[in-house]
Amino acid sequence: MAQVPQRFFDALAVRTWCGLSLRALGRAREEIDAINVYPVADGDTGTNLYLTLESAAAAVEAVFAAHEVGRAPAGGDTDPAGPAAGPTLADAVAAMAHGALIGARGNSGTILAQLLRGLAQVLTERGASAPADGPGLRLALRHAADSARQAVAHPVEGTVLTVASAAADAAQNAGDDCAAVARAAHEGARAALAATPGQLPVLERAGVVDAGGHGLVTVLAALVETFTGQAPPAAGAVVVSHARVDLAAQETAGECATADDPTGGPAFEVIYLLEAEDAAVARLRQRLDALGDSLVVVGGDGLWNVHVHVDDAGAAVEAGVEAGRPYRIRITHFGHGDVHTTGAGRPPRERAQRAVVAVVPGEGLAGLYGEAGATTVLARPGEPPVSGELVQAVRRAHAREVVLLPNDAELRDTAAAAAEQARTEGVRVALIPTRSAVQGIAALAVHEPERRFDEDVVAMTSAAGATRYAEVTVAEHRSWTTAGICQAGDVLGLIDGDVAVIGTDVTAVAGTVLDRMLAAGGELVTLVLGDDAPDDLAETLEARVRGAYLAVDTVVCRGGRQGALLLIGVE
């Protein structure tokens, strides 16, 4: 479905921008990770940006949920003179900035959080309900770039800071509507990104542009799409060769070498949230600057996010304790994954060899998956899990090898980010791109922990891929679909993700969907009923299969509050 452009920068535009940015970073994550050679060649910039933006987007969604906002009126525009419905612009940008601050990961994610905070500071000053126009957005971009540069102890040109400044500079000469400002900022950022190899020798040797800058251009492209409905061309990573990237990574390590760590540079990345007064944070900056490099301190109003690379991680944490109350402390040893500990003093529980972690849409399916030995993450209707929840589930599974089943096409990027994070913690993770819970059931049915990991993953992937999936649900609003126009309240039958049937009776639509799926053959039908499905639906469909399709078995499960009235799998 085409993106409806927004004329003004209001709360709905913030929500749209966050969603588009998250999807775009999800698509670009691996490419950005691959070109990450500065300041440390640890290959996680794309992932860190994604996780930071994911936290920001989740905070914005929470604000909308709290206001119980319905869908925007047809056309998607907000009248700047009219009354605001649901969250105001101030509500949305404040939530976005706070979410990014508490979820910021890595050097690049911390800088992105400050960019969003700087943007929010200008937009919240405009009044509680007034949407921003082009001049307002232009001013916000300028303040965002300036505040991000101030947050970095020793700014370096050829990085995301350069790209942000160029975006703000270009926006100053744009027209007075938001689309023109966003387009100019994106074009300025793209030009600056292309020039970063000439400003930073390590990038030139690797034949790549700055990874953090690439991520910012991706986020600004989403801003253009928010206001125009069309995404501009991708930035491009300009990778000349993986060999050159590897060589540059080694040279970067050499350039950053210290007496304490002659092979690399600071050994640890330390990140924590900090509750402290401004004066204490000023002293903390000075102390941490003397301890290491890549120092970025962002935030304000009593809450800060601190990021630094040091050899003495304990001293960096102690400095935070002296300044205020540090929490969510994360210490990563470069090249050795996460070294933060929980439950110190207790012997570690023995890891299982292999586990399955699956996202499921209802309590009934959670029970079914749990009985089969899987660790589950519940995705309630309208509340998809974030990658941090999936990482926590992988940790709960406590296994050396994990098979991850997202069971939703929209969760592919979220699951990929979680898998990447789990790998940095020493877990071998395979992501099977299941698009529905019924595909996950098929994969779980052939899971054999005793065989080799690769063989198990191949068998589970094959079983999931051989399972066609469908669902029957109710339309929430009038919309164009692949089967025609539907009205709010119509019953929709989706096959492999596309609307195939539109009707008014749940049982009739379900029967038609089932017939279309079995027309291509099948040996087993799985029916997963939601709480709101008609009482006789399963019995009617089972009778239909018995009467019309020989040698086809039917299995019925209760999914609980799973969103869809019915999920169907055909193997």
Side-chain angles (χ1 to χ4, degrees), residues 365-438:
L365 280 172
L368 178 66
Y369 273 76
E371 290 172 5
T375 299
T376 60
V377 178
L378 190 61
R380 294 180 175 84
E383 299 178 17
V386 297
S387 60
E389 294 177 75
L390 302 189
V391 173
Q392 290 296 335
V394 171
R395 291 172 181 157
R396 288 201 312 273
H398 203 63
R400 298 181 182 89
E401 302 167 338
V402 169
V403 179
L404 184 56
L405 306 175
N407 291 339
D408 187 336
E410 295 295 324
L411 291 178
R412 174 79 179 269
D413 294 332
T414 300
E420 188 68 30
Q421 174 60 34
R423 292 183 188 114
T424 69
E425 299 178 11
V427 182
R428 187 181 185 187
V429 182
L431 170 60
I432 297 178
T434 48
R435 295 171 173 265
S436 170
V438 292

Side-chain angles (χ1 to χ4, degrees), residues 99-192:
L101 177 67
I102 65 174
R105 300 290 292 271
N107 187 72
S108 55
T110 308
I111 293 174
L112 175 62
Q114 187 63 17
L115 286 167
L116 296 180
R117 177 177 172 80
L119 194 84
Q121 285 176 323
V122 171
L123 297 178
T124 53
E125 291 172 357
R126 297 178 58 83
S129 61
D133 53 10
L137 179 57
R138 191 160 51 226
L139 185 63
L141 289 169
R142 176 80 275 162
H143 184 67
D146 293 345
S147 64
R149 188 171 287 269
Q150 292 166 6
V152 177
H154 301 285
V156 175
E157 298 306 327
T159 66
V160 63
L161 298 176
T162 306
V163 175
S165 293
D169 290 343
Q172 302 311 304
N173 300 319
D176 288 339
D177 64 282
C178 288
V181 172
R183 193 179 293 110
H186 173 256
E187 291 172 356
R190 271 194 64 153

Side-chain angles (χ1 to χ4, degrees), residues 222-317:
L223 185 63
V224 174
E225 187 176 0
T226 298
F227 294 119
T228 67
Q230 295 182 329
V238 199
V239 179
V240 173
S241 75
H242 289 294
R244 289 179 66 182
V245 173
D246 292 340
L247 175 61
Q250 295 169 10
E251 292 175 344
T252 301
E255 291 170 356
C256 297
T258 66
D260 292 330
D261 186 3
T263 63
F268 297 98
E269 177 184 60
V270 179
I271 304 174
Y272 49 80
L273 292 179
L274 177 69
E275 293 178 355
E277 299 298 325
D278 290 2
V281 171
R283 292 191 295 271
L284 174 66
R285 289 179 192 269
Q286 295 179 350
R287 180 166 179 186
L288 292 179
D289 192 26
L291 287 175
D293 58 32
S294 297
L295 174 61
V296 185
V297 180
V298 305
D301 301 321
L303 180 62
W304 308 82
N305 189 305
V306 178
H307 169 280
V308 67
H309 295 172
V310 294
D311 283 313
D312 190 344
V317 175

Side-chain angles (χ1 to χ4, degrees), residues 25 28 31-32 35 49 160 163 193 209-219 234-238:
L25 284 173
E31 181 183 17
I32 297 173
I35 64 170
L49 288 169
V160 63
V163 175
L193 177 65
V209 295
D210 179 65
H214 186 353
L216 179 58
V217 170
T218 301
V219 171
V238 199

Side-chain angles (χ1 to χ4, degrees), residues 3 26 61-62 80 83 91 93 95 110 124 150 341 373 409 447 455 482 529:
Q3 175 63 45
E61 289 301 321
D91 294 331
V93 294
T110 308
T124 53
Q150 292 166 6
T341 59
H447 169 53
E455 293 176 353
T482 50
L529 280 76

Side-chain angles (χ1 to χ4, degrees), residues 450-461:
E450 295 77 19
R451 62 185 164 197
R452 292 178 58 247
F453 185 64
D454 291 341
E455 293 176 353
D456 198 27
V457 171
V458 168
M460 295 176 72
T461 302

